[in-house]
Amino acid sequence: MTSEKFRLRTATPPVNRFRRSFARRCQLWRQHRLQRHFARLGAGPQVHTLGLDGTAPYLDVAGKIELGEHVTFRGITRQTLISVGANAVLKIGADSYINQGANFAVTCGVTLGRRCVVAEDVSFFDTNYHEVDQGAGVFSSPIVIGENVWIGHGAIILPGTRIGDHSVIGAGAVVRGEFPARSLVVGVPARRVRDIRCDDNFLRR
């Protein structure tokens, strides 16, 4: 009995190593496939630095995507959804991190600056899709997010929103309007509650 247990224990590590190696190879294959897909979409020369952790985003792109260096998408349990309409542009700055479940619905333009951190289930809508008041028409306006901005879990970013550098958007906030650099923005509807204390060279990761 003892020798049998010993054989089982010694046999396990090679199996685990094989599984880990196989998982890494599959992940690299998915990452390279996503890089090629973005390259075909004309996402720029930086697509070869793109990182992927888990499942690749779902892409429905008729417009244009521009990626900076070392953008990373995470999709362990669910995909990020990216829809870019004709004549619309999605720009994601270098070293930005997009967590799983994010939703980019782009009809005119969404821009994220460098080193942005987008938490799980964040949604960007640059249009309201339907008129609110009869005869008002559909409202669409670009979204511009500055550098080193952290957007918390489940936040919704609405048309025309502009957020300055080094700002933090609280979890679940529904954001519309313009907010200066170093703003802490929370609530529904979102409001600026205080300044963020940080230097110009401060990075959250």
Side-chain angles (χ1 to χ4, degrees):
M1 181 66 70
T2 302
S3 60
E4 182 180 352
K5 287 183 177 180
F6 178 79
R7 285 196 299 273
L8 290 174
R9 285 197 299 269
T10 56
T12 301
V15 171
N16 287 341
R17 284 197 297 270
F18 172 78
R19 288 174 177 170
R20 287 194 296 268
S21 176
F22 180 74
R24 282 195 297 269
R25 288 175 181 272
C26 290
Q27 184 60 47
L28 286 173
W29 177 81
R30 286 192 293 267
Q31 181 170 303
H32 292 157
R33 185 180 181 189
L34 181 63
Q35 289 171 349
R36 292 194 297 271
H37 194 167
F38 272 117
R40 288 194 295 270
L41 293 172
Q46 313 303 339
V47 293
H48 69 281
T49 66
L50 181 146
L52 177 65
D53 182 13
T55 304
Y58 172 81
L59 300 175
D60 179 13
V61 179
K64 185 176 182 182
I65 292 180
E66 297 178 10
L67 298 178
E69 290 185 313
H70 303 293
V71 172
T72 300
F73 291 96
R74 181 173 184 263
I76 301 300
T77 60
R78 55 196 181 281
Q79 288 180 297
T80 283
L81 307 178
I82 297 177
S83 174
V84 183
N87 303 317
V89 181
L90 170 62
K91 299 180 181 179
I92 302 178
D95 300 303
S96 290
Y97 184 87
I98 313 300
N99 214 323
Q100 60 190 6
N103 181 18
F104 293 84
V106 187
T107 62
C108 52
V110 173
T111 299
L112 271 68
R114 297 173 60 252
R115 295 188 176 272
C116 285
V117 179
V118 176
E120 295 184 3
D121 303 320
V122 171
S123 294
F124 298 85
F125 298 105
D126 66 1
T127 181
N128 60 5
Y129 289 103
H130 311 283
E131 59 184 5
V132 177
D133 298 309
Q134 183 177 355
V138 174
F139 175 70
S140 300
S141 183
I143 294 170
V144 180
I145 311 296
E147 297 187 357
N148 195 40
V149 174
W150 174 19
I151 304 178
H153 180 102
I156 300 174
I157 313 300
L158 295 176
T161 296
R162 292 179 175 266
I163 300 170
D165 298 346
H166 303 295
S167 294
V168 174
I169 308 302
V174 178
V175 186
R176 186 170 187 175
E178 298 190 14
F179 299 90
R182 296 175 172 81
S183 293
L184 176 59
V185 179
V186 301
V188 181
R191 66 192 188 284
R192 185 175 186 266
V193 294
R194 68 170 176 86
D195 291 337
I196 298 291
R197 297 181 297 276
C198 65
D199 298 327
D200 288 341
N201 59 356
F202 167 67
L203 299 174
R204 290 194 172 82
R205 61 185 183 93

